[in-house]
Amino acid sequence: MSLKVWIDGKLLDKDDAKVSVYDHGLLYGDGVFEGIRVYNGRIFKCEQHLGRLWDSAKTIRLAIPYTRDELRAAMEQTVKANNFTDCYIRLVVTRGVGYLGLSPAKCARPTAFVITDTIEMYPKEMYERGMSVITASVIRNHPNAISPRVKSLNYLNNILARIEANDAGVPEAIMLNHEGNVAECSADNIFIVRGGVVMTPTITDGILEGITRNAIIDLCHRDKIPCVERTLQRHDLYIADECFLTGSAAEVVSITRIDGRVIGTGTPGPVTKRLHDAFHRYTREG
Ligand code: PMP
């Protein structure tokens, strides 16, 4: 059975699920999206994802032509149509079909679609042994350009960072911000642990405010693990006891090498393991 994709109220077979070449999402990266997980048949942090989607849309001056309840129902309907209990959801809203000029004035109505699929996580041994990463030369968006807090369809800086990672033979790259401070990875947030304190860049340090990041901060508070949001420099990464990344698809992955330097003991550290396990339980058991 072919996967079903929801496009503006219709469930279509994957091969028939198409958007126009005149859609400004394709022509200009003019749109916003979310990457969401379903665990045990429940959409994880659905309200937070919809909230971030609406915030992103507001900044790019895109009026989503659905209510939050309607988009939640569209996601639930698509998950059900594909018989998934655990999957990844890609929710996308573009400016819609227009003409070849930049102006969205000719885009009559935004296009929305929902893809549900299995997700590609990193290989199992990376969760057990940790991951090597590099810092990329390309920086995260300047906050006064399109803010990195907007989850827009334009990921070119992040893609260039990922190509640098590929060139270096590693799966991820850390991106700095316009001031040279640590922002995040190309598709994940970053944390370090030093002296028992968990630290992560603040939301004004050029990051996407990750839903997984927020859940990890909450779990630290719940479990009385000291946790602070603060500006980090590359030096802080190199001298960290532990480092890990977080994201909806990756969940929690230990980083054990950065730019050729071994981080801590070079194996996943105790705080990372604890938070990885706590997050795993939290998502699966609620
Ligand atoms: N930063 C970037 C740039 C991302 O694209 C993502 C999502 N893949 C994240 C961080 C992590 O966010 P979340 O935990 O909401 O998936």
Side-chain angles (χ1 to χ4, degrees):
M1 192 192 81
S2 155
L3 268 181
K4 300 282 185 206
V5 177
W6 184 97
I7 305 188
D8 284 319
K10 293 200 190 83
L11 275 178
L12 302 171
D13 283 341
K14 181 179 166 183
D15 290 343
D16 301 325
K18 303 212 164 75
V19 293
S20 164
V21 292
Y22 284 87
D23 193 298
H24 280 211
L26 174 64
L27 288 175
Y28 296 115
D30 186 353
V32 291
F33 76 102
E34 284 295 316
I36 309 170
R37 290 288 288 273
V38 174
Y39 296 106
N40 294 335
R42 274 179 318 179
I43 302 176
F44 182 65
K45 301 280 183 197
C46 189
E47 275 312 301
Q48 285 191 31
H49 280 286
L50 289 171
R52 188 170 68 184
L53 185 77
W54 253 262
D55 288 347
S56 294
K58 186 164 192 186
T59 288
I60 72 159
R61 304 182 64 168
L62 173 68
I64 298 175
Y66 296 96
T67 63
R68 289 187 193 207
D69 284 346
E70 285 169 336
L71 282 192
R72 187 191 302 102
M75 290 193 280
E76 284 167 355
Q77 188 191 354
T78 317
V79 170
K80 215 163 152 211
N82 291 308
N83 288 317
F84 281 126
T85 48
D86 292 85
C87 67
Y88 177 86
I89 300 175
R90 176 60 57 91
L91 169 62
V92 182
V93 185
T94 77
R95 189 76 66 182
V97 178
Y99 202 55
L100 294 176
L102 278 181
S103 171
K106 291 210 171 116
C107 302
R109 191 175 195 275
T111 306
F113 57 88
V114 177
I115 303 170
T116 55
D117 213 330
T118 49
I119 55 147
E120 197 165 297
M121 305 245 260
Y122 292 113
K124 197 164 175 275
E125 62 266 21
M126 261 178 214
Y127 288 87
E128 284 154 10
R129 286 196 226 129
M131 171 190 286
S132 293
V133 304
I134 54 152
T135 47
S137 67
V138 60
I139 63 164
R140 200 68 174 88
N141 302 25
H142 191 290
N144 291 329
I146 183 72
S147 169
R149 295 169 70 181
V150 171
K151 200 162 168 66
S152 89
L153 289 180
N154 193 322
Y155 257 57
L156 266 178
N157 294 322
N158 303 48
I159 288 164
L160 289 175
R162 189 61 77 88
I163 290 171
E164 286 185 44
N166 291 349
D167 287 346
V170 296
E172 246 298 10
I174 295 166
M175 300 180 76
L176 306 177
N177 67 17
H178 62 290
E179 290 174 324
N181 296 320
V182 176
E184 58 182 341
C185 296
S186 68
D188 296 292
N189 291 111
I190 191 162
F191 287 75
I192 61 167
V193 185
R194 179 143 160 112
V197 181
V198 175
M199 303 177 205
T200 194
T202 71
I203 54 167
T204 50
D205 279 330
I207 67 165
L208 180 79
E209 188 177 354
I211 309 294
T212 319
R213 170 190 181 275
N214 288 348
I216 291 293
I217 293 171
D218 288 348
L219 288 174
C220 285
H221 292 153
R222 188 196 72 184
D223 294 347
K224 309 226 166 355
I225 301 169
C227 178
V228 292
E229 295 172 60
R230 53 159 274 207
T231 298
L232 298 173
Q233 297 175 321
R234 202 147 43 160
H235 179 72
D236 295 302
L237 302 181
Y238 295 155
I239 64 169
D241 300 328
E242 302 178 33
C243 181
F244 61 92
L245 59 77
T246 66
S248 295
E251 301 192 355
V252 177
V253 187
S254 169
I255 293 175
T256 47
R257 196 179 269 267
I258 303 174
D259 298 331
R261 290 140 178 99
V262 172
I263 304 305
T265 61
T267 54
V271 180
T272 304
K273 278 193 197 153
R274 193 173 155 195
L275 287 169
H276 170 278
D277 294 351
F279 184 73
H280 198 270
R281 278 194 302 276
Y282 181 64
T283 52
R284 274 84 177 169
E285 291 159 20

